[in-house]
Amino acid sequence: MNKILTVAFISAFVAASMPAGEVLEDVVEKTFPLDPSGTFSLRAIDGIVEIFGSDSREITISAMKKAFSPERLNAIAIRVDARPDAINIETTSPPEPRHHFMDRSGAVEYRINLPQTVRIAHVELPNGELVIKGMRGSSITANLGTGQLVTQNCFCDQTIHVKQGTLNVFFDWSERRPISIDAAIADGNALARIPTDASFQLHAVAKQGNVWSDFTQSRKQGDASEINEAIGYAPATKLNFRADEGNIHISEVIW
């Protein structure tokens, strides 16, 4: 059995007297070996998460913690459980202050490079920006509370959900590899950019909004708008988009 290596990143940051309102920062950088067929998961706090697929056989983690006071900066904890076949990151935010007018600061900006064939088992971000680029593993599962979620050139199954904000799925080129994308947003707009030569089965539903597509026309029924059609020849890829309150645009990419 592979021994689990646990690393607790709890900063011992000591700051001198600084002007009120100035943001304090503490950067942590770590590298671990990770099998290209392994798994990755992250539970973040408010901030930014950027994940990039690479040809490497290791994962590099750069985490910048931010807060307005040394006490709250020190209270942000990043725990990594690292095995050769699995990496799990858990982020703990500072405790909620007793009074509403007290300092509530605390955020982390992650920049992570990992083998592009790794399965992203779960990424969760309460508020902020989540970007995932260049993955080719079996699947991606990601959830964002409020903000913007972007996947770009991720040729793998995707299950991505946003509560409020924007959801974007971008492909700069098409491939024959069959994939399935389940993208849903509760409140906000979804945008997909698909190459003009792509073949796919499209099912897009906006319950209270509109669906537009450069590939085909939608049909309107009451407050809802829907497209359910095969695009191109013998499509093996399935694109499923849902918006409860908001619009969906399927845009054609022409190079």
Side-chain angles (χ1 to χ4, degrees), residues 62-73:
S62 176
M64 179 183 290
K65 303 192 294 184
K66 295 184 176 183
F68 287 130
S69 67
E71 293 76 18
R72 292 192 67 81
L73 193 68

Side-chain angles (χ1 to χ4, degrees), residues 26-238:
D26 185 19
V27 177
V28 177
E29 295 182 341
K30 290 291 180 180
T31 300
F32 300 97
L34 180 58
D35 192 283
S37 62
T39 62
F40 169 80
S41 61
L42 166 66
R43 189 180 303 274
I45 62 173
D46 294 354
I48 298 173
V49 174
E50 295 179 317
I51 299 172
F52 302 94
S54 71
D55 294 329
S56 175
R57 296 183 65 90
E58 62 183 20
I59 178 174
T60 60
I61 305 166
S62 176
M64 179 183 290
K65 303 192 294 184
K66 295 184 176 183
F68 287 130
S69 67
E71 293 76 18
R72 292 192 67 81
L73 193 68
N74 291 336
I76 300 172
I78 301 173
R79 175 188 172 92
V80 178
D81 288 336
R83 300 182 309 200
D85 63 344
I87 300 288
N88 179 58
I89 305 174
E90 292 282 343
T91 319
T92 303
S93 60
E96 287 293 323
R98 296 181 180 180
H99 305 289
H100 291 294
F101 57 84
M102 296 180 66
D103 181 10
R104 308 176 71 86
S105 63
V108 178
E109 295 183 4
Y110 280 104
R111 184 180 178 90
I112 298 168
N113 290 272
L114 71 167
Q116 62 183 355
T117 53
V118 162
R119 179 173 70 91
I120 298 181
H122 183 73
V123 175
E124 183 173 333
L125 176 65
N127 303 288
E129 182 177 6
L130 173 56
V131 178
I132 304 175
K133 294 184 178 183
M135 294 304 300
R136 292 176 172 272
S138 61
S139 63
I140 293 171
T141 301
N143 294 286
L144 171 65
T146 301
Q148 175 176 252
L149 187 154
V150 179
T151 67
Q152 184 171 3
N153 298 330
C154 291
F155 292 91
C156 54
D157 293 346
Q158 302 179 38
T159 302
I160 50 179
H161 296 160
V162 177
K163 289 184 179 178
Q164 185 177 40
T166 58
L167 188 157
N168 301 317
V169 177
F170 299 154
F171 290 98
D172 296 328
W173 65 87
S174 61
E175 296 188 0
R176 294 186 177 275
R177 178 181 181 180
I179 61 175
S180 177
I181 297 179
D182 182 5
I185 184 165
D187 183 3
N189 299 322
L191 171 64
R193 291 179 179 167
I194 310 297
T196 186
D197 62 345
S199 297
F200 54 95
Q201 177 68 43
L202 172 63
H203 188 202
V205 179
K207 293 181 179 179
Q208 296 187 36
N210 294 291
V211 176
W212 296 282
S213 173
D214 295 342
F215 296 89
T216 186
Q217 292 185 341
S218 63
R219 60 184 178 86
K220 190 81 172 176
Q221 184 174 357
D223 294 333
S225 182
E226 182 177 12
I227 294 175
N228 191 3
E229 289 191 23
I231 309 297
Y233 175 74
T237 291
K238 297 180 179 180

